Amino acid sequence: MLLLFKALQGSMLVKVAGLLMLTLLLCIPLAEINSINRERGRSQREAAEELAATYASGQTMVGPLLLVPYVERWMEPLRNAQGKVIGQEARSKEMAHAVFPDKLHIEGSMAPHERYRGIFRIPFYTLNATLGGGFAAFDPKSVAHSEADSRIEFKAPFVVFYVSDLRGLDGSPSIAINGEALRFKQHVPGLADSSWLADGVHAPLTGAALAAWETKTPLPFEMKLGLVGQDTLSMVPIAEETTAHLSSPWAHPSFGGRFLATQREVTPQGFDAHWRVSSLVTSAREQVRAGLSDRDATGAAATAAAAATAAHAPRNLGPLQTFDVSLAQPINVYSMSTRAGKYGALFIGLVIMAAFMFELFRRQRMHPVQYGLVGLSIALFFLLLLALSEKLAFWLAYASAAGASVLLLGIYFSAVLQSWKRGAGFGAYVAVLYGALYGLLASESNALLLGALLTFGMLTVLMLATRKVDWYALSAGNPRTPEPVLPESTASV
């Protein structure tokens, strides 16, 4: 039994199996570190939700549009129990007709700023915009009768403007129609409580604006708006032709929604984007009309603005069609740390493999505890990266964590291998690995290709370095060494 134990103790095959088991065990702290990373990411999202609940959420903007309330009256036959007509009964119902602009142009700038919740920074914006356009002359015949032989009595119209979170209004918006300044009031009268549009604001037409409406002439308008929102701004194209031009010093925008920007320029100094949407390619008008009496609460979206959009969309027409711009964070430290952690097991394996190669070729045995300490130092690099990246820029946090790990391993292997040159060489190898990992993280679009090339390259080096190794002899604990070459004079004796 003692001989068997000694044979197994010296067997290289047993040692390789033990190192593989050790690598698997080291995946446990890696999994715990990834769990901490996910928890911190959830905390960041919760911080954003708290700020959305207490300050302002992402904004969805609809309008301005005209709402024309009216009463439809008709006579309905009155029947007795036998079904015979015995008279007429007057009936009526109140409804509202939406009038959309012929043209709508949004000209604005988004000034970014950040709010803090604990250690988390959440991006917000302040939109300063001018909305200009005009309404065509109103044609009463455009209002359809819902009952036969009915007559329609129109009331004074009013302007409606909707934003998904009214707390974000930076002062009172102002609008002038046909030169007449109008004043906005809370809520939208005449709509059912189930209508999401009822949560907006309205401004009754007065003075020159009302006179122009009554004489059925076109109504030009200009509206000034200040609006604060979190992360995303969504705009609904309700005009015959909706155009928009937004600029911002934020250098990392994300364009989304149903319609992307037709022109955009993104530089380190910010972005400049243009949109142009025709009513022929969107059902936004039908969705707004349906929203006069319907409030849908279908599903949640990934961002606050998308959630507001989906929650306020009529269920038969799908999510409200918008064009969006978001202030994306250039580097999300938690997503970057998560991506780095996915390579944790590979990195531990590559470092342990390098240590094993030193043992194999330098004939200097290493204890399993030493291998465990080496692997644990690599695992702790990912925890150190996560902790530092919450306080420092990601590249600086990565450089600090990688530098500390390389220095530790270099000093440790200088003692283990009894040579500072070998320790420095091992540290240089680990530094190259960290550099390769940073390249993978920085080039997300090429991460798969670079990762595959790195793995293939390491396997190639391993195979070439060990191509002449007699593994059977190593497994038996009796590695063959080349016999010395004798001089000819000695051999001939």
Side-chain angles (χ1 to χ4, degrees):
M1 180 65 70
L2 184 59
L3 293 176
L4 178 60
F5 176 76
K6 288 184 177 181
L8 292 176
Q9 188 179 22
S11 173
M12 194 60 65
L13 181 62
V14 172
K15 186 148 195 175
V16 170
L19 292 179
L20 290 175
M21 182 63 68
L22 176 63
T23 302
L24 293 177
L25 289 175
L26 287 170
C27 289
I28 296 176
L30 281 178
E32 291 299 321
I33 293 171
N34 287 334
S35 177
I36 294 173
N37 189 25
R38 289 192 296 271
E39 181 181 348
R40 302 297 284 181
R42 284 195 298 270
S43 298
Q44 184 188 42
R45 291 190 292 272
E46 289 172 359
E49 292 171 359
E50 289 179 10
L51 284 172
T54 57
Y55 183 46
S57 62
Q59 297 287 10
T60 299
M61 196 167 67
V62 182
L65 58 97
L66 285 175
L67 207 59
V68 186
Y70 63 91
V71 179
E72 185 174 5
R73 303 183 188 276
W74 72 97
M75 301 299 295
E76 191 171 281
L78 187 63
R79 301 177 185 273
N80 60 15
Q82 288 75 34
K84 293 183 178 180
V85 176
I86 58 176
Q88 298 286 325
E89 181 183 14
R91 301 292 299 273
S92 66
K93 59 182 175 182
E94 294 188 359
M95 301 180 70
H97 175 71
V99 178
F100 298 100
D102 272 355
K103 292 187 179 296
L104 173 62
H105 178 70
I106 303 170
E107 183 75 28
S109 62
M110 300 173 67
H113 60 276
E114 292 181 326
R115 291 266 174 164
Y116 288 83
R117 179 68 69 181
I119 64 171
F120 304 109
R121 297 182 300 174
I122 309 301
F124 283 81
Y125 59 84
T126 298
L127 172 70
N128 291 299
T130 300
L131 289 75
F135 297 97
F138 178 63
D139 182 7
K141 295 181 181 179
S142 62
V143 181
H145 292 248
S146 61
E147 302 292 339
D149 299 325
S150 64
R151 72 178 188 278
I152 293 179
E153 299 175 359
F154 293 101
K155 299 181 180 180
F158 47 84
V159 180
V160 174
F161 185 71
Y162 172 85
V163 290
S164 55
D165 192 346
L166 287 174
R167 297 172 304 164
L169 288 176
D170 187 11
S172 298
S174 62
I175 186 170
I177 295 183
N178 204 36
E180 182 73 23
L182 307 179
R183 184 178 178 182
F184 279 104
K185 300 179 180 180
Q186 286 185 331
H187 306 297
V188 178
L191 299 182
D193 293 338
S194 61
S195 169
W196 58 265
L197 201 60
D199 297 334
V201 294
H202 77 286
L205 264 62
T206 58
L210 182 60
W213 170 266
E214 290 173 345
T215 57
K216 298 180 178 53
T217 58
L219 299 176
F221 67 86
E222 183 177 86
M223 179 176 174
K224 301 291 185 180
L225 174 68
L227 185 65
V228 176
Q230 182 188 124
D231 185 51
T232 302
L233 173 66
S234 301
M235 294 156 282
V236 180
I238 60 171
E240 285 287 341
E241 182 177 81
T242 303
T243 57
H245 173 218
L246 293 180
S247 60
S248 173
W250 190 266
H252 306 279
S254 175
F255 301 99
R258 178 73 178 226
F259 310 98
L260 296 179
T262 54
Q263 297 178 9
R264 61 182 182 181
E265 181 181 1
V266 181
T267 66
Q269 289 72 41
F271 73 86
D272 189 272
H274 297 259
W275 290 265
R276 190 183 189 93
V277 182
S278 168
S279 62
L280 298 176
V281 299
T282 176
S283 58
R285 286 183 166 192
E286 288 73 16
Q287 291 176 318
V288 173
R289 286 194 185 99
L292 295 177
S293 58
D294 181 30
R295 183 194 299 270
D296 182 42
T298 58
T303 63
T309 296
H312 295 139
R315 64 173 56 87
N316 61 331
L317 293 173
L320 194 58
Q321 295 183 2
T322 62
F323 53 91
D324 310 343
V325 61
S326 301
L327 305 184
Q329 298 192 39
I331 295 180
N332 187 316
V333 296
Y334 301 109
S335 63
M336 293 289 280
S337 297
T338 298
R339 290 178 55 208
K342 292 179 180 179
Y343 296 95
L346 173 63
F347 264 61
I348 289 176
L350 291 176
V351 174
I352 288 180
M353 180 195 75
F356 178 68
M357 290 297 103
F358 271 100
E359 178 178 355
L360 180 65
F361 292 111
R362 295 297 179 182
R363 305 294 178 83
Q364 189 161 354
R365 293 175 61 82
M366 290 182 60
H367 195 274
V369 172
Q370 294 174 311
Y371 281 106
L373 291 174
V374 170
L376 191 60
S377 70
I378 299 297
L380 289 179
F381 157 78
F382 296 98
L383 180 61
L384 189 60
L385 173 63
L386 174 61
L388 289 176
S389 62
E390 290 185 337
K391 304 296 184 182
L392 305 173
F394 184 80
W395 70 268
L396 185 57
Y398 189 94
S400 301
S405 180
V406 169
L407 182 62
L408 173 62
L409 289 173
I411 294 174
Y412 184 71
F413 269 87
S414 295
V416 170
L417 300 176
Q418 300 177 358
S419 170
W420 68 268
K421 291 183 178 180
R422 295 173 185 175
F426 190 86
Y429 167 78
V430 176
V432 170
L433 289 182
Y434 283 135
L437 176 59
Y438 189 81
L440 292 176
L441 299 178
S443 181
E444 183 176 0
S445 57
N446 298 317
L448 179 60
L449 174 61
L450 295 177
L453 291 176
L454 174 64
T455 307
F456 181 78
M458 291 296 104
L459 179 61
T460 301
V461 171
L462 176 63
M463 293 177 67
L464 292 177
T466 60
R467 66 188 185 277
K468 294 183 179 181
V469 173
D470 190 341
W471 294 102
Y472 283 105
L474 289 174
S475 300
N478 183 29
R480 291 194 309 220
T481 56
E483 297 182 359
V485 180
L486 299 177
E488 293 183 359
S489 58
T490 305
S492 61
V493 174

